[in-house]
Amino acid sequence: MTDTTAVAINANLTAVHKRIELAALAAGRRPHSVLLLAVSKTKAAEAVRSAFAAGCRDFGENYLQEGVDKALALIDLPICWHFIGPIQANKTRAIAEQFDWVHGVDRLKVAQRLSAQRPVEKGPLNICLQLNVSHEASKSGVTLDQLDELAAAIESLPNLRLRGLMAIPAPSVDPVEQRAAFAAVRQALEKLQQRWPTLDTLSMGMSADLEAAIAEGATIVRVGTDIFGARS
Ligand SMILES: *Cc1c(COP(=O)(O)O)cnc(C)c1O
């Protein structure tokens, strides 16, 4: 890690925090009601260290082995690790042991394994259900009509804490289209909150669309490129 990279990460973080602040204020929300999750996939542990030094405490990883290796390399830092990638049912143990949040849960079998494999002394694992809002066959996630049943089943698992919803809408450069997709996620959460009022999380919005997500109530934005630079 060269100093110039650390300086760039610092400047990028300042700019992203400013965007979050402006988007929150425009929506009549407190800027601190939006958590910045720094997505460090494919980036070196030293880049995470730089972002941590600049104030980030929450980091997101997509690839299990990479995330576990990075968490071990950074064991000296009090980082909250979020698993945001697709989950293979036979790889749940390391996720349950090494991470604090899992954003992409979309089937009961995975949730049951995460609950069974979660070390009790670590406290419950925070879970977001991934909602497929764009109805693309290639994207994982549950459909709206499957949501209630899955949420009810997960609520009964002892070592998980259901927090809310996560979504990755189809990319769009049209802010109106972006907001429509995020609004659908917000409405789905509001419906779940009628039954489970403690749900408090909307994980949505990335580098290109965080403003639209915040306008629709995002409580966690997941930003990689605009903090760490393009991925090779
Ligand atoms: C890579 C990734 C991000 C970050 O995307 P950027 O466009 O680089 O900000 C956010 N969420 C998920 C699920 C990702 O895989």
Side-chain angles (χ1 to χ4, degrees):
M1 170 89 7
T2 58
D3 283 351
T4 52
T5 313
V7 169
I9 288 173
N10 243 304
N12 290 346
L13 276 169
T14 302
V16 169
H17 278 300
K18 192 74 199 167
R19 284 172 64 193
I20 292 172
E21 181 187 340
L22 291 175
L25 293 176
R29 304 180 52 197
R30 289 178 303 111
H32 288 288
S33 65
V34 184
L35 175 77
L36 174 59
L37 175 57
V39 177
S40 45
K41 65 181 178 216
T42 79
K43 301 297 177 180
E46 286 314 302
V48 172
R49 214 173 266 286
S50 296
F52 183 92
C56 287
R57 292 297 176 267
D58 290 79
F59 290 87
E61 289 286 335
N62 285 59
Y63 310 108
L64 183 55
Q65 196 55 52
E66 181 194 343
V68 168
D69 290 348
K70 232 174 274 180
L72 280 177
L74 298 164
I75 197 91
D76 56 310
L77 303 180
I79 285 175
C80 182
W81 289 103
H82 299 239
F83 191 77
I84 63 172
I87 305 160
Q88 290 173 260
N90 62 343
K91 299 269 180 67
T92 48
R93 182 174 298 279
I95 298 176
E97 290 176 351
Q98 302 294 335
F99 287 82
D100 304 293
W101 283 71
V102 184
H103 290 233
V105 173
D106 64 358
R107 54 202 197 280
L108 184 56
K109 183 185 176 191
V110 160
Q112 286 168 331
R113 291 177 61 97
L114 289 171
S115 180
Q117 294 166 341
R118 176 68 171 174
V120 174
E121 68 275 11
K122 291 202 154 183
L125 185 60
N126 295 292
I127 300 291
C128 292
L129 300 183
Q130 185 172 350
L131 181 63
N132 182 350
V133 269
S134 302
H135 306 296
E136 289 168 282
S138 61
K139 285 258 164 61
S140 40
V142 294
T143 55
L144 272 176
D145 55 304
Q146 300 170 317
L147 206 50
D148 250 50
E149 196 183 331
L150 184 57
I154 288 179
E155 275 285 337
S156 74
L157 295 172
N159 299 319
L160 305 184
R161 179 177 294 148
L162 184 61
R163 299 296 297 267
L165 299 176
M166 176 267 213
I168 315 172
S172 165
V173 290
D174 176 3
V176 176
E177 236 171 66
Q178 290 173 359
R179 277 195 65 162
F182 292 132
V185 189
R186 173 179 51 75
Q187 286 156 9
L189 181 73
E190 286 167 358
K191 196 154 163 278
L192 290 176
Q193 283 169 330
Q194 292 172 9
R195 194 162 160 197
W196 297 288
T198 57
L199 298 189
D200 60 3
T201 301
L202 276 177
S203 166
M204 58 188 197
M206 316 200 294
S207 293
D209 56 12
L210 68 87
E211 281 85 359
I214 290 170
E216 292 296 342
T219 63
I220 299 180
V221 291
R222 308 178 309 265
V223 179
T225 308
D226 284 1
I227 296 174
F228 296 109
R231 290 175 291 273
S232 47

